[in-house]
Amino acid sequence: MRANYHTHTWRCRHASGTEREYVENAIRGGLKVLGFSDHTPYSYPKEFVSHMRMQVDQLEGYVDTVLDLKREYREDIEIHLGLEVEYYTEHYIEYFHKLQRLVADYPVEYFLLGQHYIECEIGGYWSGRPTDDPGVLEKYCAQTIQAMETGYFTYVAHPDLIRFTGEEGIYEEQMRRLCRKAKSLGLPLEINCLGIYEGRNYPSERFWEIAGKEGCEAIVGIDAHDAEALNRPQPIQEAEDIARRYGLSLRETVELRPPV
Ligand SMILES: [Zn+2]
Ligand SMILES: [Zn+2]
């Protein structure tokens, strides 16, 4: 593995270690490219405090830290500055627009799409919650597709996060739609190592089978929430095995798409 674009920091409140430890483990693990993509801040109303992302006033410290490390380690590894972002539609879209205005002041190079919430974090559903409701699955796919169509996202992190327990045919139909859109836009789909390491419901074999049939491109993302994850070969090998098993073409690196 040459490049990993999916890396968190302690600011998201559920990751550990210092950024320097992440960089040093990435170098030890043989990576040539390391992208930081911590959970984005969102300008939510003051009374709502998210427990899974940095606060708006932490963005500056995040940017400065990553840029300092980028300079310091430039001989050893290529470091990039990104964010993992949910896309919000309909009446929640203003949160996304505010985010774009916020990051326009910083040299943020890319967004990964991480659709952790259907509708919105405030008042919406956690995408990983089991559901047999086809309406929820359809919303997840529609929101993901709209996000891809904006052109602001570099790739789709854990597209198989949704945990649909309903009819198989409905799952296939919706996910085929999502995969076809990714393919037509040339957007890679991420096989997520954290899911493998923690035995989560993703990577989902049934999803990757569909993605393989649709000729999608895949990329392995470590989704590091601890420094050691960047030097842990087993989940990476298992992710590569999934790509091989379903005939997915695996991207080593991606072209970063400007997020604004
Ligand atoms: Zn996280
Ligand atoms: Zn992540």
Side-chain angles (χ1 to χ4, degrees), residues 14-15 25 63 86 90 126 131 153 161 197 199 233-234 242 249:
H14 59 276
N25 271 279
V63 170
E86 290 81 6
E90 296 171 30
W126 167 249
T131 179
F153 292 93
L161 172 64
Y197 184 67
Q234 187 64 28
I242 291 173
S249 60

Side-chain angles (χ1 to χ4, degrees), residues 163-174:
R163 200 169 186 167
F164 184 67
T165 56
E167 233 179 88
E168 199 58 32
I170 297 173
Y171 181 83
E172 275 174 32
E173 184 191 320
Q174 290 296 329

Side-chain angles (χ1 to χ4, degrees), residues 64-91:
D64 289 346
T65 305
V66 173
L67 294 182
D68 284 349
L69 291 167
K70 182 186 176 106
R71 270 188 296 273
E72 186 180 335
Y73 286 89
R74 63 180 177 273
E75 304 291 329
D76 309 300
I77 193 163
E78 184 183 311
I79 293 178
H80 293 285
L81 175 65
L83 288 167
E84 183 179 13
V85 170
E86 290 81 6
Y87 184 65
Y88 294 148
T89 58
E90 296 171 30
H91 48 288

Side-chain angles (χ1 to χ4, degrees), residues 6 8 12 14-15 38-39 52 84 116 194 200 223 225:
H6 196 163
H8 292 276
C12 70
H14 59 276
D38 205 1
H39 293 285
M52 62 154 293
E84 183 179 13
H116 303 99
L194 180 65
R200 295 184 178 183
D223 197 358
H225 284 76

